[in-house]
Amino acid sequence: MSTANDQSGKRQNFFARKYAKISRKIGALYRVWVLGDVFPREVRRWFKDKGDETLRLQYDLNPDSVVFDVGGYKGDFAEKISGLYGCYVYIFEPSKDFYEICVNRFQGNEKIRCFNFGLSDVDGSFILSDDADGSSVKPDNTNGQGTVVRVRRFSDVVRELDVKKIDLIKINIEGGEYDLLPHIIEEGFVGNIGNIQVQFHTFIKDAKPLRARIIKMLETTHKCDWCYVFVWENWSLR
């Protein structure tokens, strides 16, 4: 009796797992082909191509190159790019906790500088949310949970740092790219940036048309080297 029940339970679990797997596949196909959501497909393609270990690190850099790491998080990208090329890296991380991790991580490395603010098109204070699916920057007048952080106007920061040219700027700022990139372009500094590696995010309202508008602006000065839509893409100076 016990054996029969066990076998019945195993069969039920087997079919439940099969059903769940088929449902996930159908859901993914529905999002891609009916809703036009390319993100799941692009994520799979990115990991298949090992983009984090290859494309994101393959640049014509040298010890004199300047890299801006905008949205430095814990400094993983900065450490990899610095280790490969020995270049100058400026990390901009608005979260105090992550900023302090970067400061401790690169203590003694004079070619890596850390700044406890983000970059945007304006100076201001924002809420760095504590959402379960990842942090994001929201205006300070929201009632959301999170920590108040500071952002600074990109054009003012590069002027104060006396940075004339950026060989690579990496941008991963949870939606802030839709404000930052148009500002860089409209201020005319975009022509001084060799490579723009950016992750556009989908949770921002009208993300698709906003991205399309920025791409149209970028095409004047840069060309797209590779693109995994809403995952990572790179634009190099023409």
Side-chain angles (χ1 to χ4, degrees), residues 26-162:
I26 292 173
L29 289 171
Y30 179 80
R31 290 194 298 274
V32 171
W33 298 111
V34 180
L35 300 181
D37 183 3
V38 300
F39 181 69
R41 182 183 65 207
E42 293 293 84
V43 169
R44 290 194 299 272
R45 191 164 69 94
W46 176 256
F47 285 114
K48 180 182 177 182
D49 293 345
K50 300 185 187 314
D52 287 313
E53 293 81 38
T54 56
L55 295 173
R56 293 194 61 209
L57 303 173
Q58 294 173 344
Y59 291 95
D60 184 18
L61 302 175
N62 59 63
D64 294 322
S65 298
V66 172
V67 175
F68 270 31
D69 187 354
V70 186
Y73 189 46
K74 297 179 180 180
D76 293 341
F77 178 78
E79 182 173 78
K80 289 178 182 177
I81 212 77
S82 172
L84 284 171
Y85 304 106
C87 47
Y88 294 92
V89 184
Y90 297 76
I91 300 175
F92 301 91
E93 175 48 59
S95 164
K96 184 178 179 182
D97 291 340
F98 295 144
Y99 161 75
E100 290 178 349
I101 288 173
C102 289
V103 169
N104 293 328
R105 186 171 189 170
F106 301 114
Q107 191 172 14
N109 189 333
E110 297 180 354
K111 298 190 76 172
I112 299 182
R113 299 178 62 182
C114 306
F115 301 88
N116 191 200
F117 55 82
L119 297 179
S120 188
D121 59 331
V122 294
D123 291 332
S125 296
F126 290 79
I127 294 222
L128 191 68
S129 75
D130 296 328
D131 297 334
D133 58 349
S135 297
S136 60
V137 175
K138 301 177 180 178
D140 194 10
N141 58 6
T142 67
N143 295 320
Q145 299 294 318
T147 306
V148 177
V149 298
R150 187 164 67 110
V151 295
R152 294 198 56 202
R153 183 179 168 90
F154 173 88
S155 55
D156 293 340
V157 172
V158 293
R159 185 167 51 251
E160 290 173 13
L161 294 174
D162 196 28

